[in-house]
Amino acid sequence: MRGFPVLLLACGIISCEVISTKNVKLPSSPEKLVVNGVVSNVGVGVYVTKTLPVLQSNPTSSLLKASVSLQKNGMPWAVLQKGDDLYMSDSNWKYTDNLTVEVQHPALGKALAVPDPLPSVVKMSEVSAVYTKEKTEAAITLAFRDVSGADYYAYKMIAVKDGVPLTNESIYKIPTDALMSDLSFDNQAKKIVSRLFLLKEAGNNQTIRANQVKVYLYHLSAATYDYYRSLREYDSYNEDTFAEVLPVKNNIQNGYGFVGACSIDTITVNIKQ
């Protein structure tokens, strides 16, 4: 009788092993283009990839090879050039309303996005940067005056050494953690105070310290603000197992993603002692 519990335990282990190796067949869905980008007064940046099977091993999100162009009133107007991580307009870009972003892929077909008209450019009235005591960070101040009506903004700060950014942060990547609506400062001046880390490891036990800061102020369309806010909320819901997940906005025909619209003001300032 002493051997009976051992036998039961062995049977239980064998049963678990059989159950754990059972194959489950999940339904598949057709691949779709995923298009995310920004149309602005200084240029266009569009990132193209595709949906991935849920159980695909080693998933990748590298830039998909496709034809990305702009249509004006239904006619071809400009072709975006493929870079390392974005399709971008050339340096002679001049924005005109009524544009459609078109993405063509030989296997996945054609996806379209119609961005909003651009909001007006809102200029920064004050930008300054001062080293902290240890010079590992800078205290940044920027100010601007809000325009009349419902408006939406975002801002970004990048450390720079002698004109060269320390990160490869794209101007077309709008930060979800720095979104603002003007509910509390409609048609008033708004001042923002922030801090920025200035050091970058350069190898050989050397450290690069930034001596400039590049600041971007984005004036977003309402739909663009809603999209990036929904991304932020989606990320926060994912951290809460019991939260109700809200859908992320989408304006891509025959695909997924969002092409937003904004006007950008930018300035580079030296960091003061």
Side-chain angles (χ1 to χ4, degrees), residues 2-152:
R2 291 183 180 178
F4 183 64
V6 176
L7 179 60
L8 285 179
L9 179 60
C11 291
I13 294 174
I14 293 172
S15 299
C16 289
E17 289 178 351
V18 172
I19 293 172
S20 65
T21 57
K22 184 177 180 180
N23 292 325
V24 178
K25 186 175 181 181
L26 297 177
S28 61
S29 59
E31 291 182 328
K32 289 275 194 177
L33 286 167
V34 179
V35 182
N36 284 285
V38 169
V39 175
S40 76
N41 58 313
V42 299
V44 179
V46 177
Y47 176 72
V48 181
T49 184
K50 63 180 180 179
T51 56
L52 296 172
V54 174
L55 298 181
Q56 177 173 320
S57 60
N58 300 320
T60 177
S61 57
S62 58
L63 188 66
L64 190 67
K65 187 175 182 180
S67 173
V68 184
S69 61
L70 303 175
Q71 313 291 318
K72 182 178 179 182
N73 298 322
M75 300 296 292
W77 190 68
V79 176
L80 301 188
Q81 303 302 312
K82 185 176 183 293
D84 293 335
D85 54 3
L86 286 174
Y87 289 89
M88 293 182 290
S89 56
D90 60 31
S91 58
N92 296 320
W93 166 258
K94 185 176 181 181
Y95 181 81
T96 304
D97 285 345
N98 302 318
L99 288 183
T100 299
V101 177
E102 179 181 291
V103 178
Q104 285 270 13
H105 187 270
L108 303 179
K110 179 172 67 175
L112 300 173
V114 181
D116 292 338
L118 291 192
S120 61
V121 177
V122 175
K123 295 285 188 180
M124 290 175 279
S125 57
E126 175 190 348
V127 180
S128 63
V130 180
Y131 283 113
T132 57
K133 184 177 180 181
E134 296 79 12
K135 293 191 176 181
T136 58
E137 293 181 310
I140 317 296
T141 301
L142 74 91
F144 65 95
R145 177 166 288 279
D146 175 53
V147 294
S148 298
D151 291 281
Y152 308 93

